[in-house]
Amino acid sequence: MPVSVSTPQTLYDKVLSSHIVDEKLDGTILLYIDRHLVHEVTSPQAFEGLKSAGRQVRRPDCTLATTDHNVPTTSRKGIKDIASFIKEDDSRVQCVTLEENVKEFGLTYFGLGDKRQGIVHVIGPEQGFTLPGTTVVCGDSHTSTHGAFGALAFGIGTSEVEHVLATQCLITKRSKNMRVQVDGELAPGVSSKDIARMSICNMSIEGGARAGMVAPDENTFEYLRGRPLAPKYGSEEWDRAVAYWKSLASDEGAKYDIDVFIDGKDIIPTVTWGTSPEDVVPITGNVPDPETFATETKKAAGRRMLEYMGLTAGTPMEEIVVDKVFIGSCTNSRIEDMRAAAHVVKGKKIAANIKRAMVVPGSGLVKTQAEAEGIDQVFIDAGFEWREAGCSMCLGMNPDILSPKERCASTSNRNFEGRQGAGGRTHLMSPVMAAAAAITGRLTDVRRLAEYTASPHVQARISPSPPVEAAHVDERVEDSDEREAIGDQPLDLQPHTNTLTPKGDSTGMPKFLTLKGITAPMDLANVDTDAIIPKQFLKTIKRTGLGSALFHNLRYLPDGAENPDFVLNKEPYRNSKILVCTGANFGCGSSREHAPWALLDFGIKSVIAPSFADIFNNNMFKNGMLPIQISNKADIDAIAAEARAGREVEIDLPNQLIKNGAGETICSFDVEEFRKHCLVNGLDDIGLTMQLNDKIVEFEKKRTIHTPWLDGTAYLKRGKDGRLAAKAVPVPKTNRGDEKKEPLEW
Ligand SMILES: CC(C)[C@H](C(=O)O)[C@@H](O)C(=O)O
Ligand code: SF4
């Protein structure tokens, strides 16, 4: 929705300010959410929360659900239903629970029998559900992908999923702006993941950003043309939308907090060597020597990484032999990725030492398109497996996993310990580089493959994707077989708003005032949420019972016995109430709220660290827990010293002080006023937001006037004139605020 301002604004500022429902003096913002994607892993507890509070989904028409993380990627021919198809109990329960929830709440859902099923971050753009200038959220950290369209898109935890389902809003605050500008030509062999819109925005989360955004331009409009949920191409509404989308680019003279300029020719195909996405080197480089790292914490982390990865410092990256190759994930499983990798593979065979090479398209539609282009056969002829859509070996919540010590060339986005399977070793890279590794059997500079540099795909990554024909897309949606296949889905969604019943009661959390107890010390940096709670424990549909799995891979030895060296297995730390970590970026990676749930279930209510990843930080607060950022090294060392001595530490939230067991102050700490208020009073966010229902209704009326394409019945059949069939239920006039306009003019 346009906002008129005189000072130059960034793209982020524009999208943010046009979605503010309410802003408090302390900067707390109630943000309206246009698009909510839902998947099976992070939603069960949210739906359960709605049910127990008797709440509805406020905007079913702005919510889209699919199953992706747990689903097997084996052939789905003859599939009867998800319950008989998924063999693994926990995965099946999670998927079936989602199906029950979408039915109960009337949401659009792409199940396994539907060609439109796929990874949330692939299907959103593919359907035109993701649109420029929108706010997009999902209980998944890689929601940042959708920023490629000029949307403000970010991952949220399960409590926030519940909040958005119930209120279509989210409580947030303003972020800082960083501009990254890549100029000039890209060198040959530099491709998606090294640099490309959706991949870059996808992995902006790995770079520490909450969201990545690219201003919409002709490439964006071309991509969106004819997508089922985009405004109808050629209609007055399309023109109106494009005019608005064009206004979103950052203004001349807009101010950024940080500016980064990169010359395209300096980018070399990049691979990871360690167990954090930041551990990268150019493929032409060597495995680094941790002894050259700046601090003792980094040196120790580097040594551990080399040991885990089975690598020796100084080894040329190109000498590293791989066992498996995975081309897929929300970073790199689109048709452009398939085409680029197939080009490298065409006419060749995978190397004899490759035990398994898999290609997993990001959605059923990507798969269908690739098959129409003969890409599947290129891979199959070379010895690859051609699979069905899903997250697959990116995370291994489904049967696609690495065995211990197996090394994988992977186009996914995270190389954390155990991410692709316990003991598995992941090297992240682009699709063309993974394809090259499959052919040579080792990490390989794709530019060495003779024909490669002459390929149109070398530079194709910065060109627009071929337009999707409108007729083709409409055909998919109107195809009667397909409608049958999804016959049990609530296709005739009603674009109505389930308005809130404002309840005065917003209490619901236990109050947090002071906390005194044993404090466990940790000296690791970048403690990721995969480490806090590994993927196999995400299959629960409950919030409780995860304490025994906390830090599973660090806490237990491969035979299941306790690791006597791990802090939580030692006395007195088995009874810790606080964790102090001296390394930065605690809780990075995935948005899984299971991480704070596991800490809480163990008994830890507060974590003290030099810095936190944003989603994890939010997730702690949403569970009545307190993350405390202490950036002063002397202070955090002093707290860690108390912890190491086995003495109690006290946190006094009302006075914002950390004290030693004797009650002497070690240091003070900052906490946002609003968050403190909620913790101290045990307030529940949803209850608070519900009290602002009038403002939300007011916002929705304006949204309908300014961006009517965001309300909708989405998948209803359209006539030749682009209008929805009579079966459609119009948006209630009271909510549109524009009596004269035809409600269903798409
Ligand atoms: C399961 C989900 C919470 C998680 C995420 O947030 O990223 C997953 O997609 C991942 O990649 O680790
Ligand atoms: S990062 Fe991997 S597991 Fe997470 S959404 Fe993307 S494909 Fe799925």
Side-chain angles (χ1 to χ4, degrees):
M1 204 182 308
V3 271
S4 51
V5 277
S6 48
T7 45
Q9 285 197 307
T10 65
L11 165 63
Y12 166 78
D13 296 336
K14 290 184 192 183
V15 181
L16 181 90
S17 42
S18 63
H19 286 83
I20 296 177
V21 173
D22 186 52
E23 186 164 11
K24 302 264 178 261
L25 283 176
D26 72 348
T28 303
I29 288 172
L30 186 65
L31 192 73
Y32 194 81
I33 302 301
D34 295 314
R35 295 290 183 247
H36 188 189
L37 288 150
V38 173
H39 65 75
E40 78 278 15
V41 181
T42 51
S43 64
Q45 297 85 351
F47 284 114
E48 192 182 81
L50 285 190
K51 283 183 235 177
S52 55
R55 290 167 180 157
Q56 293 178 298
V57 174
R58 184 180 175 91
R59 295 300 301 251
D61 62 321
C62 297
T63 311
L64 177 60
T66 195
T67 37
D68 52 6
H69 285 72
N70 278 284
V71 298
T73 57
T74 46
S75 168
R76 291 170 192 165
K77 278 206 182 95
I79 179 172
K80 242 179 56 235
D81 53 37
I82 208 162
S84 55
F85 184 70
I86 302 185
K87 301 284 170 258
E88 208 266 308
D89 289 346
D90 293 346
S91 296
R92 186 176 55 248
V93 168
Q94 224 168 36
C95 292
V96 168
T97 304
L98 179 64
E99 292 209 341
E100 288 167 359
N101 284 327
V102 296
K103 277 187 194 141
E104 184 169 344
F105 289 95
L107 308 181
T108 305
Y109 166 67
F110 299 156
L112 286 194
D114 189 324
K115 276 188 262 173
R116 297 169 297 180
Q117 175 270 341
I119 307 172
V120 265
H121 312 309
V122 176
I123 67 168
E126 189 169 76
Q127 294 297 318
F129 185 70
T130 306
L131 291 171
T134 53
T135 45
V136 182
V137 296
C138 174
D140 199 284
S141 55
H142 287 104
T143 311
S144 54
T145 313
H146 308 260
F149 293 81
L152 172 55
F154 52 91
I156 55 177
T158 297
S159 298
E160 291 178 312
V161 169
E162 184 180 339
H163 193 286
V164 176
L165 288 171
T167 66
Q168 204 58 31
C169 292
L170 203 59
I171 298 172
T172 187
K173 61 182 186 343
R174 228 166 262 274
S175 297
K176 289 189 174 164
N177 283 279
M178 175 197 253
R179 171 170 57 175
V180 181
Q181 189 170 314
V182 182
D183 294 312
E185 292 284 303
L186 298 181
V190 175
S191 64
S192 179
K193 175 141 317 104
D194 300 309
I195 178 166
R197 286 188 200 203
M198 281 200 246
S199 305
I200 280 206
C201 290
N202 174 280
M203 291 199 68
S204 60
I205 184 84
E206 266 67 52
R210 186 68 190 275
M213 299 174 87
V214 178
D217 61 7
E218 292 302 330
N219 292 347
T220 321
F221 311 146
E222 193 77 357
Y223 178 95
L224 289 172
R225 227 174 79 178
R227 302 273 164 194
L229 299 183
K232 179 133 182 97
Y233 179 66
S235 67
E236 191 196 322
E237 193 149 76
W238 168 264
D239 294 341
R240 201 173 143 197
V242 170
Y244 168 51
W245 297 342
K246 282 184 178 167
S247 74
L248 292 169
S250 297
D251 296 327
E252 189 84 23
K255 295 264 177 302
Y256 296 88
D257 299 284
I258 305 176
D259 257 314
V260 177
F261 295 98
I262 298 170
D263 191 336
K265 73 173 177 351
D266 294 339
I267 304 173
I268 295 176
T270 303
V271 288
T272 59
W273 61 270
T275 55
S276 169
E278 71 179 0
D279 304 322
V280 289
V281 282
I283 183 62
T284 47
N286 298 339
V287 175
D289 183 355
E291 303 316 319
T292 62
F293 293 176
T295 64
E296 199 37 60
T297 308
K298 286 192 174 149
K299 285 180 190 168
R303 282 181 219 124
R304 183 184 162 91
M305 285 184 204
L306 288 195
E307 196 189 328
Y308 180 85
M309 291 296 289
L311 294 173
T312 312
T315 307
M317 292 304 288
E318 285 197 89
E319 284 180 12
I320 298 173
V321 174
V322 299
D323 304 300
K324 288 189 174 165
V325 175
F326 170 60
I327 299 179
S329 88
C330 58
T331 318
N332 288 122
S333 62
R334 297 178 184 83
I335 188 67
E336 295 82 357
D337 304 312
M338 305 282 123
R339 288 184 188 133
H343 184 81
V344 174
V345 164
K346 197 174 173 111
K348 304 192 178 74
K349 295 275 181 223
I350 60 173
N353 62 299
I354 298 291
K355 294 184 199 160
R356 193 175 185 194
M358 307 166 68
V359 186
V360 185
S363 72
L365 291 176
V366 171
K367 181 168 185 274
T368 307
Q369 174 72 25
E371 287 167 358
E373 294 180 21
I375 286 174
D376 57 328
Q377 212 46 55
V378 170
F379 284 118
I380 292 166
D381 290 349
F384 280 83
E385 293 170 36
W386 178 249
R387 319 270 301 182
E388 296 281 343
C391 292
S392 183
M393 206 193 269
C394 170
L395 167 83
M397 280 187 77
N398 58 88
D400 306 338
I401 51 169
L402 296 179
S403 301
K405 299 200 174 164
E406 269 182 350
R407 190 179 297 284
C408 183
S410 178
T411 67
S412 52
N413 42 50
R414 287 183 177 146
N415 50 347
F416 301 142
E417 286 186 21
R419 168 90 182 172
Q420 296 192 291
R425 296 165 171 166
T426 305
H427 293 273
L428 303 175
M429 64 198 72
S430 69
V432 291
M433 290 281 290
I439 301 305
T440 63
R442 56 185 64 224
L443 301 186
T444 298
D445 187 340
V446 65
R447 298 171 297 180
R448 285 183 195 284
L449 299 189
E451 316 78 7
Y452 185 65
T453 42
S455 150
H457 295 286
V458 171
Q459 292 297 340
R461 320 303 309 145
I462 48 173
S463 311
S465 312
V468 176
E469 294 302 320
H472 178 55
V473 173
D474 282 347
E475 189 185 56
R476 293 196 297 246
V477 176
E478 294 179 6
D479 176 88
S480 58
D481 289 347
E482 184 169 330
R483 291 172 73 85
E484 225 166 74
I486 51 173
D488 59 347
Q489 312 304 336
L491 270 182
D492 53 344
L493 281 181
Q494 305 188 4
H496 67 280
T497 301
N498 292 322
T499 47
L500 312 168
T501 322
K503 286 186 193 159
D505 184 13
S506 56
T507 51
M509 289 281 184
K511 295 182 182 177
F512 190 123
L513 292 158
T514 58
L515 176 69
K516 187 174 179 184
I518 292 296
T519 301
M522 278 185 113
D523 286 323
L524 299 171
N526 299 321
V527 175
D528 58 78
T529 51
D530 280 61
I532 299 173
I533 185 86
K535 57 182 178 294
Q536 61 271 32
F537 302 104
L538 307 189
K539 299 188 185 195
T540 175
I541 56 169
K542 299 200 164 15
R543 294 174 199 246
T544 49
L546 291 169
S548 57
L550 177 69
F551 290 116
H552 189 270
N553 297 347
L554 295 164
R555 201 158 142 212
Y556 303 102
L557 298 170
D559 65 2
E562 278 188 357
N563 173 2
D565 297 333
F566 186 65
V567 62
L568 297 183
N569 293 331
K570 296 182 193 171
E571 293 300 345
Y573 305 110
R574 286 178 188 278
N575 297 314
S576 301
K577 290 189 180 163
I578 302 168
L579 184 76
V580 57
C581 184
T582 55
N585 200 21
F586 191 93
C588 59
S590 138
S591 66
R592 58 191 73 173
E593 200 162 312
H594 309 67
W597 294 337
L599 285 161
L600 198 55
D601 200 56
F602 180 89
I604 293 175
K605 269 193 89 177
S606 178
V607 178
I608 304 170
S611 62
F612 291 89
D614 204 33
I615 307 180
F616 176 82
N617 193 58
N618 274 344
N619 285 343
M620 280 195 76
F621 279 112
K622 303 290 172 195
N623 286 282
M625 302 164 74
L626 178 61
I628 303 181
Q629 183 173 347
I630 300 287
S631 26
N632 182 307
K633 187 163 164 14
D635 288 342
I636 200 146
D637 284 348
I639 301 164
E642 290 299 304
R644 278 191 212 102
R647 290 192 287 268
E648 288 191 323
V649 168
E650 184 181 342
I651 294 166
D652 175 349
L653 177 56
N655 294 307
Q656 298 179 214
L657 294 174
I658 299 180
K659 302 175 187 168
N660 64 20
E664 295 153 354
T665 299
I666 302 176
C667 61
S668 61
F669 62 90
D670 290 332
V671 57
E672 282 168 46
E673 209 43 56
F674 175 72
R675 298 210 194 255
K676 177 176 166 182
H677 175 72
C678 289
L679 280 186
V680 167
N681 296 296
L683 298 179
D684 146 43
D685 282 0
I686 300 182
L688 284 175
T689 300
M690 287 193 148
Q691 292 169 356
L692 296 175
N693 186 48
D694 290 352
K695 288 194 170 189
I696 304 174
V697 169
E698 198 51 40
F699 182 92
E700 283 173 331
K701 280 186 186 164
K702 286 197 198 129
R703 188 183 91 141
T704 298
I705 294 168
H706 294 294
T707 50
W709 54 88
L710 297 179
D711 292 329
T713 51
Y715 289 95
L716 283 177
K717 194 166 174 159
R718 291 176 196 178
K720 286 211 170 59
D721 58 356
R723 293 164 69 93
L724 293 165
K727 209 170 135 203
V729 180
V731 177
K733 290 211 162 104
T734 47
N735 255 2
R736 293 183 61 86
D738 179 4
E739 302 292 317
K740 279 168 277 159
K741 212 169 181 306
E742 270 282 282
L744 291 175
E745 207 172 89
W746 275 65

